Amino acid sequence: MADITRRLGWRHLRGAPTAHIRHHRSGKLLHDGPGLSFWFRALTAALSEVPVDDRELAMTFHARTSDFQDVAVQATVTYRISDPALASARLDFSVDPDTGVWRGAPLEQLGTLLTETAQQHALAVLARTPLASALVDGVTAVRERIAAGLGTEPRLPATGIEVVAVRVMALRPEPEVERALRTPAREQIQQEADKATYERRAVAVERERAIAENELDSQIELARREEQLVDQRGTNARREAEEHAAADGVRAEAEATRTVRLADAEAARSVRLARAEAEGSREVGDARAYAQAAWLRVHADVDVATLNALTGTRLAENLPNIDSVTISPDVLTGLLAKLGTGEAGA
């Protein structure tokens, strides 16, 4: 939309670079071009503003396939006004000199023209195509047909319109039909998923079985090795017991031999000691007998008085030394009683 300002009965227009401005006064073209800026009088000016930038026209329409199924077509047409003078002559692009707003709706008219033309060619293609093929290859076929149809449409060049590109985003059937079409694919996908699940479970079961067999084999091998270990330990224990028994036998034999030797030596020593003691006793006895015989021989010729004297002397020599004599009252009483008894008897 052009930017128009008021100044004392005059108007100033300032256009955008993407808007082609045409200014007529009394049937004469005074200004013609994009991005213009000029003064004009509102009462005598006829202004047109034609956009020259690329514009996107989104369209959605319904069509019917050869098997009588409704489909929705979503497409976008990119176009531009290549000849602003021709477009302003064929369509109403005039603007209000006070506000700069279009008096009519030229872009809506242009959109209707493009939509109806594109829809006509799309219907021609889809009417000869079954739904399954349309959903598979219909997007490309419809896009090519719309582009070719718009390129050969005589009204577009006559209006100064140039089609830049055509895009078809989707061809969609009715929701019920779409669900019905999705069902086999979903069934197949579900079957494949179930098959994959079963195969995965089978593989898991097989792996678990292999793991269980490996564990069982490992346990069997471990039990066999434990049995071998027990046998080996028993053999080692028997060998160790035999070695200990042999060592104990050797020690016992050595101890017995040593004991026998010690007993023999002790017996021999005892015999020698007994012999020595017997010999000593015999010699002592012989010496005592010889001494007694000699003593008797010495005293054989001595008289009785001398022998008594010698006897008393020997007795006195053998008596113990008496330092003091303690007479208890009991002893003294007994002695006195005996003395008294003796005197009475006398």
Side-chain angles (χ1 to χ4, degrees):
M1 184 178 66
D3 184 12
I4 297 177
T5 57
R6 301 179 182 183
R7 292 292 188 274
L8 299 176
W10 287 83
R11 304 291 187 271
H12 183 270
L13 182 144
R14 182 175 60 189
T18 57
H20 190 97
I21 304 298
R22 292 175 62 83
H23 175 209
H24 291 80
R25 187 178 62 188
S26 301
K28 294 182 180 180
L29 182 62
L30 300 181
H31 299 91
D32 185 19
L36 297 181
S37 179
F38 55 87
W39 292 91
F40 66 93
R41 286 185 175 274
L43 295 178
T44 60
L47 302 175
S48 297
E49 182 182 14
V50 181
V52 293
D53 56 338
D54 291 350
R55 291 184 171 265
E56 302 283 343
L57 176 62
M59 59 185 70
T60 300
F61 53 87
H62 291 271
R64 179 169 294 183
T65 61
S66 61
D67 48 0
F68 305 102
Q69 299 296 326
D70 290 337
V71 293
V73 182
Q74 295 179 358
T76 300
V77 176
T78 303
Y79 69 95
R80 72 168 66 99
I81 299 177
S82 59
D83 192 345
L86 184 58
S88 63
R90 301 296 299 273
L91 298 174
D92 186 11
F93 284 97
S94 62
V95 297
D96 191 310
D98 292 329
T99 61
V101 179
W102 279 319
R103 297 179 183 273
L107 294 182
E108 294 181 3
Q109 297 177 5
L110 187 58
T112 301
L113 173 61
L114 291 174
T115 301
E116 291 178 352
T117 304
Q119 183 175 0
Q120 177 183 357
H121 294 287
L123 292 176
V125 174
L126 294 175
R128 297 191 301 269
T129 305
L131 178 61
S133 300
L135 295 178
V136 175
D137 301 322
V139 173
T140 303
V142 170
R143 183 182 66 249
E144 293 176 354
R145 182 60 182 270
I146 291 176
L150 292 177
T152 58
E153 178 63 31
R155 289 188 60 189
L156 297 180
T159 315
I161 306 301
E162 178 184 355
V163 176
V164 178
V166 176
R167 299 188 303 275
V168 177
M169 279 71 70
L171 288 175
R172 303 195 63 176
E174 294 180 346
E176 296 81 2
V177 177
E178 187 174 4
R179 284 193 296 270
L181 293 174
R182 287 177 179 177
T183 301
R186 289 183 176 179
E187 293 274 340
Q188 184 177 1
I189 293 173
Q190 186 63 38
Q191 291 177 1
E192 292 178 356
D194 294 340
K195 182 179 178 181
T197 302
Y198 296 150
E199 291 178 353
R200 184 169 62 252
R201 290 179 179 176
V203 171
V205 170
E206 182 65 22
R207 289 180 179 176
E208 290 179 357
R209 184 186 63 79
I211 292 172
E213 289 181 355
N214 291 333
E215 291 179 353
L216 182 60
D217 293 339
S218 299
Q219 292 178 0
I220 293 174
E221 181 65 20
L222 181 60
R224 186 179 62 81
R225 292 187 178 182
E226 287 181 353
E227 182 180 1
Q228 292 179 355
L229 180 61
V230 170
D231 293 341
Q232 186 64 37
R233 285 179 177 175
T235 301
N236 294 338
R238 287 193 298 272
R239 185 179 300 171
E240 185 177 359
E242 291 174 358
E243 291 178 356
H244 284 310
D248 292 339
V250 172
R251 284 196 298 270
E253 184 178 357
E255 185 67 21
T257 302
R258 187 175 65 83
T259 303
V260 170
R261 290 179 180 177
L262 290 176
D264 293 341
E266 185 66 23
R269 188 175 65 83
S270 298
V271 169
R272 288 194 300 270
L273 182 59
R275 289 178 180 177
E277 289 180 354
E279 184 68 23
S281 297
R282 186 178 61 82
E283 291 180 357
V284 171
D286 292 342
R288 287 180 177 178
Y290 181 78
Q292 188 69 26
W295 187 79
L296 291 175
R297 284 194 303 269
V298 173
H299 295 85
D301 297 331
V302 180
D303 55 2
V304 177
T306 302
L307 290 175
N308 290 331
L310 290 174
T311 301
T313 302
R314 293 294 299 272
L315 181 60
E317 289 177 355
N318 293 322
L319 288 175
N321 294 327
I322 300 173
D323 295 331
S324 61
V325 177
T326 301
I327 299 174
S328 62
D330 296 335
V331 176
L332 182 59
T333 302
L335 289 176
L336 293 177
K338 287 181 178 181
L339 289 177
T341 303
E343 289 180 358

